[in-house]
């Protein structure tokens, strides 16, 4: 199907290329993706159930963790389509479904960045301003921070998706496993400068602002922790903050690599770039509840109580 530069029409559907060069291995590649997807769904659902069932966990730190789990579950919604591509060669995706998938992936990635910033702010107040923690971060403030993360993340990424409608497309084959923004924009005829500029600006604004604020928060936290006299308290605080930093690095590193490779990484082999971008959809959502579950005693104890309660009732 061909679309001229003057027709200004959108195709009814796109064809996802998948991972070039690894087509023969799709069947086997799908198994680890399926396992990670199952673990991500189960782990994040477990976090939500544990926090919901334990009134003692209805505190800002755990409420933010629940928000992170909800966002991770949303990001995982693209994985079934990925598995269908690997197992049944279901490469076709409607234009509307493609735009929706793009909106959810990019939009909720920006929301997750905002939630991570809110979690860093929460830890800063808990460690550096413990006497004023309750007054500075009451329950209504938690809701406002979450609303701000959603509003900023989805608000910035909505024009990114809307800009696709103004393009005319000369090809239907998306050189990716899912509808990544730049992979779709590259199919357009004519000028795509507004899409390129807005995409880079939005991503840099979200990641740049959030990462700088997170760095400042943890620098202040580190300074406060090093000033504690108790070694046990220092170790406990380092353990909590270490798990947060692990989640933050796990989220930002592959995401930034994937995004900027699409713009500037012409020398990165395409199959490596696409495979890492695919893993970005499942690895952070899978590991986030595991990291927090292992590092947070309250989550572990709540999960065990919930499990014992289920065994007794059965």
């Amino acid at each position: 199907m061909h679309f001229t530069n003057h027709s200004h029409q959108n195709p009814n559907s796109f064809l996802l290329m998948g991972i070039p060069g690894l087509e023969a291995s799709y069947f086997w590649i799908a198994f680890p993706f399926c396992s990670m997807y199952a673990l991500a769904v189960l782990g994040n659902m477990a976090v939500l159930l544990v926090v919901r069932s334990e009134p003692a966990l209805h505190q800002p730190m755990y409420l933010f963790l629940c928000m992170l789990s909800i966002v991770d579950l949303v990001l995982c919604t693209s994985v079934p389509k990925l598995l269908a591509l690997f197992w049944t060669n279901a490469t076709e995706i409607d234009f509307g479904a493609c735009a929706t998938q793009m909106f959810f992936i990019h939009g909720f990635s920006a929301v997750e960045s905002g939630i991570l910033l809110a979690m860093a702010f929460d830890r800063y107040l808990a460690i550096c301003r413990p006497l004023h923690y309750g007054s500075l971060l009451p329950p209504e403030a938690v809701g406002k921070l979450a609303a701000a993360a959603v509003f900023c993340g989805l608000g910035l990424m909505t024009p990114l998706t809307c800009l696709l409608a103004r393009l005319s497309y000369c090809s239907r084959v998306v050189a990716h496993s899912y509808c990544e923004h730049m992979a779709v924009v590259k199919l357009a005829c004519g000028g795509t400068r507004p899409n390129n500029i807005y995409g880079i600006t939005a991503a840099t604004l979200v990641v740049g602002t959030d990462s700088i604020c997170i760095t400042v928060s943890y620098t202040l936290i580190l300074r406060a922790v090093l000033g504690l006299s108790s070694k046990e308290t220092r170790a406990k605080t380092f353990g909590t903050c270490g798990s947060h930093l692990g989640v933050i690095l796990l989220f930002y590193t592959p995401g930034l690599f994937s995004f900027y490779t699409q713009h500037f990484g012409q020398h990165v082999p395409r199959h490596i770039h696409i495979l890492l971008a695919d893993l970005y959809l499942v690895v952070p959502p899978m590991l986030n509840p595991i990291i927090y579950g292992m590092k947070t005693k309250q989550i572990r104890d709540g999960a065990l109580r919930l499990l014992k309660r289920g065994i007794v009732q059965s």
Side-chain angles (χ1 to χ4, degrees):
M1 186 181 295
H2 178 73
F3 299 90
T4 66
N5 195 36
H6 303 287
S7 63
H8 203 72
Q9 294 179 352
N10 293 328
N12 293 324
S13 62
F14 288 118
L15 299 175
L16 299 172
M17 179 187 291
I19 307 174
L22 298 180
E23 291 84 357
S25 305
Y26 278 179
F27 182 80
W28 302 109
I29 290 174
F31 282 102
F33 272 93
C34 185
S35 300
M36 288 186 286
Y37 172 64
L39 287 172
V41 172
L42 291 174
N44 286 291
M45 289 297 296
V47 169
L48 293 173
L49 288 173
V50 168
V51 175
R52 181 180 180 274
S53 64
E54 297 286 337
L57 298 182
H58 295 175
Q59 301 173 27
M61 174 181 171
Y62 304 106
L63 295 177
F64 285 130
L65 182 55
C66 284
M67 297 171 200
L68 188 67
S69 291
I70 292 171
V71 173
D72 281 340
L73 287 171
V74 173
L75 288 175
C76 282
T77 57
S78 301
V79 179
K81 177 60 181 176
L82 197 65
L83 295 175
L85 187 154
F86 289 153
W87 270 331
T88 65
N89 198 33
T91 60
E92 189 169 9
I93 182 170
D94 292 341
F95 180 84
C98 183
T100 302
Q101 185 187 67
M102 182 188 305
F103 173 76
F104 275 90
I105 290 174
H106 293 301
F108 279 89
S109 292
V111 172
E112 181 156 342
S113 180
I115 297 296
L116 291 173
L117 173 58
M119 295 176 76
F121 178 64
D122 168 72
R123 289 301 84 202
Y124 164 75
L125 292 179
I127 295 169
C128 300
R129 298 287 187 272
L131 298 178
H132 306 286
Y133 178 67
S135 60
L136 291 173
L137 199 63
E140 57 269 21
V142 175
K144 290 178 181 178
L145 286 173
V150 173
F151 178 79
C152 291
L154 299 186
L156 272 173
M157 295 304 163
T158 297
L160 197 70
T161 308
C162 294
L163 282 171
L164 294 178
R166 61 174 287 277
L167 299 176
S168 301
Y169 296 90
C170 297
S171 172
R172 296 175 58 211
V173 182
V174 181
H176 215 291
S177 298
Y178 58 85
C179 289
E180 198 275 339
H181 173 251
M182 280 308 301
V184 175
V185 169
K186 288 177 180 178
L187 307 181
C189 308
T192 59
R193 190 174 181 181
N195 300 71
N196 296 334
I197 292 175
Y198 188 87
I200 294 175
T201 302
T204 303
L205 185 63
V206 169
V207 175
T209 303
D210 291 351
S211 60
I212 289 172
C213 292
I214 288 171
T215 301
V216 171
S217 295
Y218 278 101
T219 300
L220 295 173
I221 289 170
L222 180 61
R223 189 173 67 178
V225 171
L226 291 175
L228 295 173
S229 57
S230 170
K231 290 184 179 180
E232 184 179 347
T233 305
R234 280 204 303 267
K236 183 179 178 181
T237 307
F238 272 129
T240 302
C241 293
S243 63
H244 288 198
L245 288 173
V247 168
I248 289 166
L249 290 173
L250 189 66
F251 171 76
Y252 280 117
T253 304
L256 285 173
F257 176 84
S258 175
F259 180 83
Y260 285 106
T261 297
Q262 276 286 11
H263 288 273
F264 310 113
Q266 289 81 8
H267 301 296
V268 177
R270 183 176 292 179
H271 66 278
I272 292 177
H273 165 231
I274 295 176
L275 185 59
L276 288 175
D278 292 345
L279 288 171
Y280 173 71
L281 296 179
V282 286
V283 173
M286 176 191 70
L287 290 181
N288 285 351
I290 294 174
I291 291 172
Y292 280 110
M294 291 177 63
K295 288 287 186 179
T296 310
K297 185 178 184 297
Q298 292 87 337
I299 295 287
R300 290 200 308 270
D301 293 344
L304 289 173
R305 281 193 292 270
L306 199 63
L307 185 61
K308 290 177 182 177
R309 195 181 309 162
I311 293 173
V312 171
Q313 291 177 351
S314 63

